[in-house]
Amino acid sequence: MQNKREGFLSFKIEKMYDLGNLVTFIPNKKVPIHNWFYFKEGFSRNFVLLMLDWLDIKIGNWILDPFCGSGTTLLTSKEFGINAVGVDASPLAVFVTQVKTEDYDLDKIKDYSRKLFSKKFERCEIKGLSSLTKRAFSKYSLEDILFFKEEIKKIDDPKIRNFFTLALMNASSKVSYAYKDGGVIKIRKKPNIPLKKIFKRIVKKMVHDLKKVNYKGSEIKVYIGDARKMDFLQSDFFDAVITSPPYLNKIEYTKVYSIEYELFFEDFKIDSLRSYIGLNPKHIRDLFPELNLPDVAKAYLQDMNDALREIYRVLKDDGRCSMIVAEGAFPDRIVPVDLLMANLAEKIGFKIEKIIVAKERVVTRERIFKIGKARESILIMKK
Ligand SMILES: C[S@@+](CC[C@H](N)C(=O)[O-])C[C@H]1O[C@@H](n2cnc3c(N)ncnc32)[C@H](O)[C@@H]1O
């Protein structure tokens, strides 16, 4: 299908709606280790598998995911003996990726587990917590969470400490009244199983998951960083990039995880986060003046242009990049992010090989007036 738009945005677009589920996190909910943390914004292991095939990735190659989120690209690479590097601006994402891709001594985990669950409960003060966090749990659950958090802090081995922290985060989400509805947190009370019971069950399951894996041996590294400026990565190094940047209009990745941040990342100040894509619409350089885009879209595309430049720099010649992007909906229009990004990538030097629409959703204003359809597309390009 040839895109109807004229001139600089006329790219060939293919439709493959059977990939619609793969570009979401949903299939990961049933996959061991991938499901240690529910990351709504993630894509699936099966998507990465497909890309490893399409991009012709071999054992020993190096893959980069500059927006690694919960580490789906890295963990899948590890499974197949492929080396991978992840970068993310969010400490929560980097933490989750690290714990999921680490190698563990299972006997040590079992040993610590026995000790942890035999500790005598001591009540911790919940007064200092925000009202949102207090509303998100029953008093009993919250006291249990704080008790275990303090006990986990005492574990001297950082790897093991992080393992139990992720298990506790997962257990906390299971007893939480809070749920993520789009970009906001909502509260819905429900009956609960005691936290300790769920926490124990989760640790057991995580150990069981680790027993089943048989990694082929590869290097996996994760960094806190900014995809627009990855100075710490060598030029012309990576064989491929598999990634999904934040979506335009859905770029706020800290607010929905504010309870996790408050409970488990005490030192992190949400306000201090400045490196998120499109969050700083000051000093905008308009890359498409002829389109008269909304300011947030201009800021987003400017940031993504910087990220694309960096991806181009770190890829080897002939290296490929697969990136999931979505069109952005505004009250008066749909911004064709896939085509605009393809245009920017071409100007940087990439050859656009494919634009595949995996999903299309109808967008409405006030839930009544149809604005149009917004595509979620896979961009495949070559350096
Ligand atoms: C769509 S999610 C990636 C999900 C990932 N594919 C997965 O399966 O979990 C986008 C990620 O980009 C991160 N991010 C936002 N701005 C960033 C930046 N400037 N540099 C690096 N990462 C950034 C967010 O923290 C978020 O984790």
Side-chain angles (χ1 to χ4, degrees):
M1 178 183 119
Q2 189 72 27
N3 183 270
K4 285 205 190 70
R5 282 169 251 248
E6 293 300 312
F8 71 101
L9 291 186
S10 67
F11 290 96
K12 193 165 161 262
I13 293 182
E14 293 167 54
K15 288 182 180 170
M16 291 175 86
Y17 291 148
D18 49 331
L19 302 185
N21 202 34
L22 294 197
V23 299
T24 73
F25 192 79
I26 295 166
N28 281 359
K29 284 184 172 176
K30 293 207 174 89
V31 188
I33 309 188
H34 287 275
N35 62 10
W36 284 4
F37 185 81
Y38 177 57
F39 197 66
K40 210 165 161 267
E41 301 78 12
F43 50 44
S44 66
R45 170 183 175 270
N46 284 351
F47 172 75
V48 181
L49 282 183
L50 188 67
M51 292 306 116
L52 292 178
D53 181 35
W54 282 10
L55 306 186
D56 200 19
I57 303 304
K58 311 218 164 36
I59 291 179
N61 277 173
W62 279 91
I63 306 268
L64 169 70
D65 187 343
F67 300 96
C68 73
S70 62
T72 314
T73 301
L74 277 69
L75 186 56
T76 312
S77 300
K78 180 169 172 133
E79 198 184 333
F80 292 94
I82 295 158
N83 303 307
V85 174
V87 176
D88 203 290
S90 145
L92 173 74
V94 169
F95 170 79
V96 172
T97 302
Q98 232 154 18
V99 178
K100 282 161 65 173
T101 55
E102 200 71 80
D103 294 315
Y104 294 97
D105 176 340
L106 289 185
D107 289 332
K108 228 171 167 182
I109 294 181
K110 284 187 210 156
D111 206 31
Y112 275 105
S113 173
R114 264 189 299 274
K115 284 184 203 149
L116 186 65
F117 291 114
S118 60
K119 292 262 164 77
K120 193 171 165 294
F121 174 76
E122 279 172 43
R123 184 160 288 115
C124 293
E125 196 54 78
I126 60 171
K127 262 192 207 148
L129 295 169
S130 69
S131 68
L132 173 66
T133 299
K134 279 193 244 172
R135 280 191 298 127
F137 300 96
S138 73
K139 183 170 166 285
Y140 303 109
S141 297
L142 202 47
E143 283 176 352
D144 277 346
I145 294 169
L146 294 183
F147 164 70
F148 280 115
K149 189 179 106 176
E150 290 309 313
E151 289 305 319
I152 291 170
K153 269 189 195 165
K154 295 177 193 160
I155 299 176
D156 46 5
D157 182 334
K159 238 200 245 186
I160 307 277
R161 197 164 61 225
N162 291 346
F163 176 89
F164 282 103
T165 303
L166 186 65
L168 183 60
M169 275 167 68
N170 193 348
S172 310
S173 74
K174 299 270 189 293
V175 298
S176 174
Y177 299 146
Y179 64 98
K180 299 171 179 71
D181 185 10
V184 288
I185 297 176
K186 291 190 176 160
I187 304 288
R188 182 175 46 211
K189 292 215 171 181
K190 56 174 190 194
N192 257 324
I193 313 174
L195 176 108
K196 183 173 175 180
K197 203 168 166 184
I198 295 191
F199 183 27
K200 235 174 150 171
R201 202 189 290 161
I202 286 175
V203 169
K204 207 170 153 193
K205 182 204 166 283
M206 285 168 71
V207 170
H208 179 74
D209 287 351
L210 288 172
K211 268 190 206 158
K212 285 193 296 191
V213 290
N214 182 15
Y215 294 127
K216 298 192 170 55
S218 62
E219 270 188 69
I220 305 291
K221 295 178 187 167
V222 203
Y223 301 96
I224 288 218
D226 186 343
R228 295 167 300 181
K229 216 173 178 320
M230 298 183 285
D231 299 344
F232 50 93
L233 298 181
Q234 212 179 307
S235 302
D236 308 304
F237 180 78
F238 289 94
D239 297 283
V241 166
I242 300 175
T243 196
S244 68
Y247 289 173
L248 172 60
N249 279 354
K250 288 196 186 145
I251 47 188
E252 189 39 282
Y253 280 91
T254 32
K255 274 200 191 125
V256 283
Y257 293 105
S258 64
I259 297 173
E260 285 86 349
Y261 273 111
E262 179 174 2
L263 287 175
F264 302 104
F265 297 83
E266 290 156 67
D267 301 333
F268 178 71
K269 298 264 171 297
I270 287 185
D271 305 342
S272 69
L273 203 82
R274 272 285 149 262
S275 53
Y276 272 20
I277 297 294
L279 282 192
N280 196 0
K282 284 182 205 155
H283 319 296
I284 307 169
R285 197 159 38 91
D286 190 356
L287 297 170
F288 297 98
E290 61 279 49
L291 298 182
N292 194 23
L293 295 171
D295 277 357
V296 275
K298 288 181 199 160
Y300 176 83
L301 289 164
Q302 183 183 326
D303 283 347
M304 282 311 302
N305 192 43
D306 292 345
L308 280 170
R309 269 182 203 289
E310 276 295 79
I311 291 173
Y312 189 85
R313 177 182 70 77
V314 301
L315 271 175
K316 282 182 186 163
D317 284 345
D318 291 333
R320 288 209 178 90
C321 170
S322 155
M323 184 182 269
I324 302 177
V325 290
E327 292 190 290
F330 290 86
D332 62 332
R333 67 170 114 181
I334 307 283
V335 175
V337 174
D338 46 1
L339 305 180
L340 295 173
M341 295 264 289
N343 176 274
L344 292 175
E346 252 186 5
K347 282 190 210 147
I348 289 169
F350 277 110
K351 182 177 174 294
I352 306 302
E353 292 193 324
K354 274 179 197 298
I355 302 179
I356 297 157
V357 183
K359 259 168 130 180
E360 223 169 13
R361 67 188 164 92
V362 174
V363 191
T364 55
R365 185 158 34 95
E366 291 147 24
R367 297 188 182 209
I368 306 170
F369 307 106
K370 186 175 164 187
I371 304 172
K373 281 185 182 170
R375 295 186 295 264
E376 208 163 316
S377 312
I378 307 163
L379 225 68
I380 310 268
M381 47 207 175
K382 190 173 179 178
K383 176 168 172 180

